[in-house]
Amino acid sequence: MVHCSCLLFRKYGNFIDNLRLFTKGGTGGMGYPRLGGEGGKGGDVWVVAQNRMTLKQLKDRYPQKRFVAGVGANSKICALKGSKGKDCEIPVPVGISITDENGKIIGELNKEDDRILVAEGGLGGKFLTNFLPLKGQKRVIHLDLKLIADVGLVGFPNAGKSSLLSRVSHAKPAIADYAFTTLKPELGKIMYNDFKQISVADLPGLIEGAHMNKGMGHKFLKHIERTRQLLFVVDISGFQLSYHTQYRTAFETIILLTKELELYKEELQTKPALLAVNKMDLPDAQDKLHELMNQLQNPKDFLHLFGKNMIPERTVEFQHIIPISAVTGEGIEELKNCIRKSLDEQANQENDAYHKKQLLNLWISDKVSSSEPPSAKHAVTSSKVNII
């Protein structure tokens, strides 16, 4: 049983999920032609993962976003072999993907102290270079957070996502009657009484055509990719972006949201999803909820109401459907419990899958070694002895 009263949602302003940096390896040191001395190699630039680091902290600490390693020491009479220049380390959060200016992936940092070389220092001056040093490698890199939150809130504008966050938290997100109040992700944490923390991203509202980069478009959908689970938030009374656009019922809203995710990237539909049906304090909300539940239990019976281009290949199967009111607080505690339960179940499934994979690898390794010819085994053993 999950106890989660008195939760706190900590808000982090000006959230950043990508950065562009200039990096340059250090220049090598001068050689010493008369005595054949070799200059020191220039320092290297490394990107290093740290647990308590954010991209915003990195940007604030290094506003110039330039990282240059140290110069190698010149060769001299008292030290013919110059010392290496000082390495430069760029601290980044865990879960970073690094790409170059052309979009080519350099690598990923998935746990603390993982490190990747991004710009190599130049060689020191020596005989082959006429004792002249080489310059270090220059490289522009892009840092992208692969995972920004455990849960991402998905919904059309004015579905009540910001109101929901203000209800489950102490955050004060912008709330208004016009459509776009959230213009960039707000990242925070739900703090449980047993010290469990769940990160939540309040994402900008989707609109129809987002997969074609309308509205927040690809930027919004990129953020959804980087969450473990999705929490759909829909208005029980339906949605209409403006007087010039068509009114959509709650069921139509869910179908259209699903279609937008599918058109952008089908894999998004495989994420575990929950549904919060908001604004249950409105008149006739219970009747509309009963109708919506019937539609969700038998979606194929109602898809004829949509145009062919609006029907997703597969509908989302919600792990939990929770009617709530961000105004009165109805259903909020149950929603918090369901979020925790769903994430715990996903973590257990991922752990089971990991252990099964490890056991399979061990089994394959044992089969390969047991089927190896004796002569091959002997050859390997002999080579090891010779190397030692």
Side-chain angles (χ1 to χ4, degrees):
M1 176 122 182
V2 180
H3 298 284
C4 58
S5 57
C6 299
L7 276 83
L8 170 69
F9 182 92
R10 282 201 316 221
K11 181 180 170 185
Y12 297 89
N14 301 321
F15 171 70
I16 295 173
D17 70 338
N18 62 83
L19 267 184
R20 181 177 181 269
L21 308 176
F22 172 82
T23 64
K24 182 179 181 297
T27 302
M30 290 288 294
Y32 201 107
R34 190 157 60 88
L35 299 177
E38 187 175 318
K41 181 179 179 293
D44 303 317
V45 182
W46 296 82
V47 178
V48 183
Q50 295 182 4
N51 271 337
R52 295 186 178 275
M53 192 68 191
T54 67
L55 290 182
K56 184 178 186 305
Q57 289 174 332
L58 177 63
K59 184 182 178 184
D60 290 345
R61 196 180 298 175
Y62 305 98
Q64 300 299 321
K65 295 182 286 185
R66 289 176 60 87
F67 297 87
V68 181
V71 177
N74 295 334
S75 173
K76 48 190 176 182
I77 293 175
C78 61
L80 288 177
K81 172 66 176 175
S83 58
K84 184 178 184 244
K86 186 177 180 181
D87 286 350
C88 175
E89 293 189 351
I90 306 172
V92 300
V94 174
I96 282 287
S97 175
I98 307 170
T99 55
D100 64 15
E101 194 75 317
N102 299 315
K104 183 180 178 182
I105 295 177
I106 299 171
E108 295 180 346
L109 303 173
N110 296 312
K111 61 181 187 296
E112 189 172 23
D113 296 327
D114 276 359
R115 55 175 50 226
I116 291 176
L117 177 66
V118 292
E120 196 169 355
L123 294 174
K126 53 186 175 181
F127 180 76
L128 290 175
T129 65
N130 202 24
F131 297 99
L132 296 174
L134 300 182
K135 292 182 178 179
Q137 178 185 12
K138 288 182 182 179
R139 205 176 205 182
V140 173
I141 62 171
H142 294 261
L143 307 179
D144 281 286
L145 264 179
K146 293 193 300 169
L147 182 70
I148 64 171
D150 295 314
V151 179
L153 304 186
V154 179
F156 283 138
N158 250 15
K161 299 189 301 299
S162 297
S163 297
L164 173 59
L165 282 181
S166 68
R167 169 59 69 167
V168 302
S169 71
H170 295 277
K172 304 292 182 190
I175 301 169
D177 289 333
Y178 55 87
F180 294 101
T181 52
T182 303
L183 299 176
K184 58 185 175 182
E186 293 287 356
L187 185 65
K189 291 183 184 293
I190 299 176
M191 319 287 284
Y192 288 81
N193 285 343
D194 61 355
F195 304 108
K196 169 78 173 180
Q197 299 182 14
I198 290 177
S199 55
V200 181
D202 178 16
L203 305 169
L206 263 178
I207 63 169
E208 291 180 50
H211 69 281
M212 296 184 293
N213 215 16
K214 289 182 180 177
M216 297 292 172
H218 289 174
K219 192 159 187 176
F220 168 87
L221 291 161
K222 182 184 75 170
H223 294 315
I224 294 180
E225 272 188 275
R226 298 172 181 176
T227 59
R228 290 191 187 281
Q229 298 198 356
L230 306 179
L231 174 58
F232 284 61
V233 183
V234 300
D235 184 338
I236 187 60
S237 61
F239 167 72
Q240 188 172 18
L241 182 62
S242 71
Y243 294 115
H244 307 292
T245 58
Q246 188 173 343
Y247 165 79
R248 303 294 188 187
T249 66
F251 178 67
E252 288 175 326
T253 299
I254 293 166
I255 294 297
L256 291 171
L257 285 170
T258 305
K259 186 64 177 179
E260 288 298 334
L261 299 185
E262 176 187 281
L263 289 170
Y264 175 71
K265 187 170 284 188
E266 286 185 26
E267 289 84 353
L268 290 177
Q269 291 177 290
T270 64
K271 285 182 181 288
L274 295 84
L275 172 63
V277 184
N278 196 16
K279 305 189 182 180
M280 289 301 297
D281 54 292
L282 296 177
D284 302 326
Q286 287 297 335
D287 291 339
K288 290 177 180 177
L289 177 64
H290 180 75
E291 181 184 356
L292 174 62
M293 295 299 290
N294 182 42
Q295 291 170 323
L296 290 173
Q297 286 167 5
N298 308 284
K300 291 182 179 178
D301 295 345
F302 300 92
L303 293 181
H304 67 276
L305 302 172
F306 298 85
K308 284 187 178 180
N309 62 334
M310 294 169 60
I311 301 174
E313 292 293 324
R314 51 179 286 187
T315 54
V316 175
E317 293 184 11
F318 296 108
Q319 295 189 342
H320 302 279
I321 299 175
I322 311 99
I324 65 167
S325 169
V327 173
T328 66
E330 176 190 344
I332 296 299
E333 290 300 316
E334 183 186 354
L335 175 61
K336 295 170 185 174
N337 281 334
C338 290
I339 290 172
R340 171 95 180 249
K341 183 180 177 183
S342 182
L343 283 166
D344 286 346
E345 288 172 353
Q346 184 182 5
N348 291 335
Q349 289 171 2
E350 288 174 352
N351 285 337
D352 290 344
Y354 174 77
H355 290 310
K356 285 178 182 176
K357 185 178 179 181
Q358 292 293 93
L359 288 171
L360 180 61
N361 289 339
L362 283 171
W363 181 79
I364 292 171
S365 178
D366 288 343
K367 291 285 284 184
V368 170
S369 60
S370 63
S371 62
E372 211 170 63
S375 57
K377 284 184 180 178
H378 178 72
V380 171
T381 306
S382 300
S383 66
K384 284 182 179 177
V385 172
N386 291 337
I387 290 169
I388 291 169

